[in-house]
Amino acid sequence: MEKQLVRIINQIKFEKAIAVEEKGSTIASINLDAFTVESSYQGPDLDIKVEDKRVCVSMTQEYISNMVDLFRKGGKIPKKHAFAIVAAANEIFKEQPPMVEFGLKRPATAAKELQLEEAKKITVCGDTHGQFYDVLNLFKRFGKVGKDHIYLFNGDFVDRGSWSCEVAFLLYSLKLLYPQNIYINRGNHETNDMNKVYGFEDECKYKYSEKLFSCFSESFNSLPYASLIGQEYLVMHGGLFSSDNVTLDDIRKIDRFKSKQPPKEGIEMELLWTDPQESKGRSASKRGIGMQFGPDVTADFCERNKLKAIIRSHEVRMGGYEIEHDGKLVTVFSAPNYCDMQGNLGAVVNFTLKDDEYKVEYATFTHVDHPNIPPMNYSKNNFGF
Ligand SMILES: [Mn+2]
């Protein structure tokens, strides 16, 4: 399996090398006026405005509810809406800093703190990997996104599961409706190399179009690399760094628009790819990219950056979550029975504010039934299960 993966990745590298790199923005090249809404679509209209190539959508709860019902019946939203949702969400992601800071425990006192949002409850979710029915169940179990309840999805919401488009449209639509109350960190699967191999690109082509995949890809590049909750909990998809000197300011200074895909080395790559290990120090990764870091690395990073803990995802845990590195690192994974075969629980991390302190609690959930479609159903490379 590993060898096959390496071969596929090398093939992709070769194809990329011989391809002329696409210049400019695919999203900006889409002419929404040229689309007509398919006559089979019976749902609510979507108010779309385009000014100066900037797409703005007035999302409604009614639209989202209808969209979820439609997806449950195996339906699709109109292509015009699909492009508009990705384009409009991308505008919001683009404006966010590379590390989003929210959940301040006291009222903002300085102008630079205004981006820090206050909330009574914050739920952090790990990988969901296109498991749309489990995502719906997660909101049912733990509450809806709303004024007092912020959600953070910590990357890898596409690939593997066969409802990656549905998960992405739901999260993006919620972002449009509640821009301050749902955040999405980029994961290593929000990248072209992964999407080509693990199903999302082919799923987009099958359900919508190749161009829609290009638009999603562009929007992934606008996603933040990390989030800082209440100035004390750093949340990223992968983990910590190969260098001892990285600070929160280094993450704040990431320029994610200097290339269309994340660099293959440096702190961006490490935020997406690294894993913890039980032994001290650092060692090579089993994945062939990134590395592993020990409890001493985590303790030192937390101390230098005045953090209580690191929350990361990226690896399945049978209990849905695991508290590691002497309590200073938590792995949270939210795709129960991952790939329909792992038998693991899903979990979320809940923060509630009490007496100016965050209380951190963990909640688990089991998988729910889904229509009889296997993971990576639309993938053409036969690398599925
Ligand atoms: Mn991952």
Side-chain angles (χ1 to χ4, degrees):
M1 188 154 158
E2 267 323 298
K3 271 188 188 158
Q4 197 179 356
L5 178 58
V6 169
R7 198 161 57 231
I8 290 167
I9 288 172
N10 284 339
Q11 192 189 333
I12 291 165
K13 276 185 191 155
F14 173 68
E15 281 169 7
K16 263 176 138 175
I18 58 169
V20 179
E21 211 210 323
E22 201 187 329
K23 294 266 183 268
S25 158
T26 312
I27 291 178
S29 76
I30 302 292
N31 177 12
L32 286 169
D33 292 334
F35 286 89
T36 44
V37 170
E38 291 84 339
S39 57
S40 56
Y41 177 72
Q42 305 281 315
D45 200 12
L46 192 60
D47 182 16
I48 303 165
K49 287 196 177 65
V50 186
E51 275 171 34
D52 237 6
K53 294 211 159 181
R54 201 192 135 94
V55 178
C56 183
V57 162
S58 302
M59 185 52 68
T60 61
Q61 186 60 58
E62 187 203 3
Y63 187 89
I64 294 177
S65 303
N66 181 77
M67 184 176 78
V68 167
D69 286 346
L70 195 63
F71 288 162
R72 277 179 176 283
K73 289 177 202 147
K76 288 182 270 188
I77 52 171
K79 277 204 177 81
K80 180 176 185 160
H81 295 183
F83 280 102
I85 288 169
V86 177
N90 182 55
E91 290 295 339
I92 301 176
F93 298 143
K94 261 171 29 186
E95 283 164 12
Q96 292 178 339
M99 179 174 78
V100 180
E101 305 182 32
F102 62 89
L104 195 65
K105 293 184 291 185
R106 55 188 163 73
T109 51
K112 72 179 176 65
E113 292 178 351
L114 291 180
Q115 66 175 13
L116 305 178
E117 298 302 322
E118 293 167 56
K120 291 188 180 69
K121 186 168 185 186
I122 299 167
T123 298
V124 180
C125 309
D127 304 35
T128 49
H129 276 305
Q131 296 189 193
F132 180 64
Y133 292 84
D134 293 308
V135 172
L136 294 179
N137 183 43
L138 183 160
F139 285 125
K140 198 172 148 194
R141 288 281 313 272
F142 305 115
K144 289 192 166 146
V145 178
K147 215 169 125 281
D148 290 330
H149 194 169
I150 293 181
Y151 270 83
L152 167 58
F153 282 83
N154 195 23
D156 282 14
F157 52 99
V158 298
D159 277 342
R160 308 277 197 182
S162 288
W163 293 272
S164 294
C165 289
E166 287 77 3
V167 172
F169 283 130
L170 176 59
L171 297 186
Y172 280 25
S173 298
L174 287 167
K175 183 72 185 172
L176 293 171
L177 186 58
Y178 302 106
Q180 310 292 327
N181 297 84
I182 177 167
Y183 296 94
I184 307 169
N185 285 343
R186 189 178 200 168
N188 64 305
H189 276 271
E190 279 73 55
T191 58
N192 287 353
D193 290 357
M194 292 295 114
N195 297 157
K196 207 172 254 306
V197 178
Y198 292 101
F200 183 53
E201 182 178 333
D202 286 331
E203 185 188 321
C204 281
K205 284 185 197 168
Y206 180 88
K207 292 180 180 170
Y208 294 90
S209 70
E210 186 164 4
K211 213 158 204 160
L212 183 75
F213 171 71
S214 298
C215 292
F216 265 125
S217 166
E218 194 174 326
S219 75
F220 293 164
N221 210 38
S222 307
L223 292 173
Y225 275 94
S227 299
L228 185 65
I229 297 178
Q231 297 177 306
E232 292 175 330
Y233 296 89
L234 180 64
V235 188
M236 80 286 271
H237 181 73
L240 295 176
F241 312 100
S242 54
S243 158
D244 277 332
N245 305 315
V246 179
T247 64
L248 295 182
D249 272 339
D250 292 320
I251 306 174
R252 288 186 182 103
K253 279 185 224 149
I254 289 174
D255 174 8
R256 59 206 199 274
F257 302 108
K258 64 178 185 244
S259 59
K260 287 189 167 187
Q261 291 295 305
K264 295 280 189 254
E265 54 185 20
I267 67 170
E268 294 98 321
M269 181 277 283
E270 291 173 347
L271 284 162
L272 299 181
W273 280 99
T274 63
D275 297 304
Q277 64 180 24
E278 279 180 30
S279 53
K280 280 190 176 181
R282 296 181 174 90
S283 63
S285 173
K286 304 177 286 279
R287 299 175 188 264
I289 180 167
M291 53 96 207
Q292 301 185 157
F293 56 96
D296 52 331
V297 175
T298 301
D300 171 69
F301 185 87
C302 287
E303 199 186 312
R304 277 188 299 109
N305 291 286
K306 300 185 175 63
L307 298 173
K308 280 196 170 156
I310 306 295
I311 298 173
R312 44 89 61 178
S313 301
H314 194 37
E315 288 177 290
V316 63
R317 292 287 185 264
M318 288 314 284
Y321 72 97
E322 197 166 336
I323 301 168
E324 298 160 56
H325 290 186
D326 309 310
K328 287 196 162 25
L329 182 128
V330 177
T331 297
V332 61
F333 195 83
S334 308
N337 197 26
Y338 181 41
C339 298
D340 286 350
M341 60 189 280
Q342 297 282 321
N344 59 291
L345 289 173
V348 299
V349 186
N350 285 317
F351 291 77
T352 43
L353 197 53
K354 211 180 169 200
D355 302 329
D356 227 23
E357 276 302 310
Y358 274 122
K359 195 169 148 199
V360 182
E361 288 165 311
Y362 305 90
T364 62
F365 59 110
T366 53
H367 67 281
V368 292
D369 288 343
H370 62 68
N372 192 20
I373 299 171
M376 292 176 62
N377 188 52
Y378 310 100
S379 177
K380 290 212 169 63
N381 62 37
N382 292 319
F383 189 61
F385 298 93

